[in-house]
Amino acid sequence: MSEWTKKGPLEWQEYTYKEVRVTACEKEFRGWVLTTDPVSANIVLVNFLDDGSLSVTGIMGQTVQSVETLGEGDWRTRERLTHLFSSGHCEGYSL
Amino acid sequence: GVPGAAEPLESREQQVRASLRERYLRSLLAMVGSQVSFTLHAGVQVTAHFGATDLDVANFYVSQLQTPIGVQAEALLRCSDIIAYTFRP
Amino acid sequence: DTPRSSEPPSERPGERRQAEMKILYGASAAKIQAMEAAVQLSFNKYCDSKKPKYWPVIPLKF
């Protein structure tokens, strides 16, 4: 269905930390790109909410029709995204 | 070592792939126990507690699935039925 | 090297998987493999104990 799944890691990485609008199955999703899974091409978006909390949206790679960059993150946004789910804050994960 | 330019393309690609994958896996692990809202095909919207996901097929195991016709204690959502999912960590 | 008689003749899925992981993820292969195992194990555990049914019964999209 989409060109998105055919991209490679370096191309997906270009979108990381950017604000994007994703169209998938005629639906629109907006947010900051946390990552794109290199196996499924699923995109994970983060939205910072007014009350200080955040919401995370995963979009299945197979359904992605287009990804449009809306803006570059400043260093604070980048910083918040980098530390999100990083080691130590990840419950449920133990080896 | 020699920075940047001298690095072979393959290893840079491996590095990037690993970091993309790691962040994705961490986001899945962070979702465990959260209330998740799923946007499915055919205009169906459901919420459930996320339990686990299958990495190969990417089916989602959920509990307390609130469907338009009632609550199902345990369910498996098919990857191919899902457009997107949202949760608040 | 020849496989021992107790093993299936030409199949070493663990080793092949490890080699594939190395090609994909380079130096991070072991870390990624461990995280994937944690995710998959948790899924298998739920499915074995709870035996969940697909919802909806019929796929929404073919």
Side-chain angles (χ1 to χ4, degrees):
Chain A
M1 187 177 192
S2 74
E3 292 299 305
W4 182 254
T5 55
K6 297 189 191 108
K7 290 188 190 293
L10 299 178
E11 289 170 284
W12 287 318
Q13 177 65 24
E14 289 293 307
Y15 291 87
T16 306
Y17 306 131
K18 290 188 177 151
E19 190 183 18
V20 298
R21 171 165 47 219
V22 178
T23 309
C25 277
E26 317 304 334
K27 289 188 188 302
E28 257 187 39
F29 303 90
R30 277 176 74 147
W32 300 91
V33 178
L34 177 70
T35 189
T36 298
D37 176 33
V39 176
S40 59
N42 291 357
I43 306 172
V44 182
L45 299 183
V46 174
N47 280 286
F48 301 106
L49 307 176
D50 292 339
D51 64 0
S53 70
L54 42 88
S55 90
V56 178
T57 298
I59 304 150
M60 309 312 263
Q62 291 290 345
T63 69
V64 173
Q65 292 163 301
S66 69
V67 182
E68 186 190 339
T69 305
L70 302 174
E72 310 276 328
D74 58 12
W75 68 269
R76 278 196 66 217
T77 309
R78 211 191 150 95
E79 194 81 349
R80 285 185 77 179
L81 290 170
T82 311
H83 290 107
L84 191 60
F85 310 143
S86 64
S87 339
H89 301 90
C90 196
E91 292 159 57
Y93 171 52
S94 55
L95 292 174
Chain B
V2 187
E7 213 175 282
L9 181 67
E10 203 199 342
S11 103
R12 160 94 179 127
E13 192 173 296
Q14 287 171 334
Q15 258 174 37
V16 168
R17 188 185 283 116
S19 104
L20 289 168
R21 181 69 166 162
E22 180 175 345
R23 266 176 291 163
Y24 178 70
L25 293 171
R26 284 191 189 282
S27 77
L28 287 180
L29 291 159
M31 187 155 60
V32 174
S34 299
Q35 181 78 14
V36 183
S37 154
F38 291 90
T39 302
L40 307 180
H41 286 285
V44 180
Q45 190 87 32
V46 292
T47 59
H49 274 94
F50 173 77
T53 186
D54 186 1
L55 283 177
D56 290 329
V57 198
N59 288 327
F60 283 67
Y61 166 79
V62 297
S63 60
Q64 291 305 304
L65 174 71
Q66 318 234 346
T67 79
I69 51 158
V71 178
Q72 190 167 320
E74 270 104 28
L76 216 45
L77 297 176
R78 284 178 201 86
C79 164
S80 58
D81 282 346
I82 302 171
I83 299 171
Y85 57 84
T86 297
F87 71 103
R88 295 196 185 186
Chain C
D1 57 345
T2 46
R4 278 170 290 147
S5 58
S6 62
E7 288 168 338
S10 60
E11 216 176 313
R12 296 271 188 94
E15 269 175 40
R16 196 195 308 149
R17 180 91 188 110
Q18 229 166 339
E20 283 168 5
M21 293 294 285
K22 194 83 192 163
I23 291 166
L24 286 173
Y25 301 111
S28 306
K31 183 186 188 181
I32 300 289
Q33 204 169 2
M35 289 183 76
E36 286 183 355
V39 170
Q40 194 61 48
L41 195 71
S42 147
F43 181 83
N44 294 350
K45 196 185 70 187
Y46 277 119
C47 283
D48 290 348
S49 66
K50 306 282 189 184
K51 309 226 184 309
K53 293 190 170 63
Y54 278 113
W55 190 92
V57 177
I58 314 248
L60 294 167
K61 193 165 184 271
F62 299 92

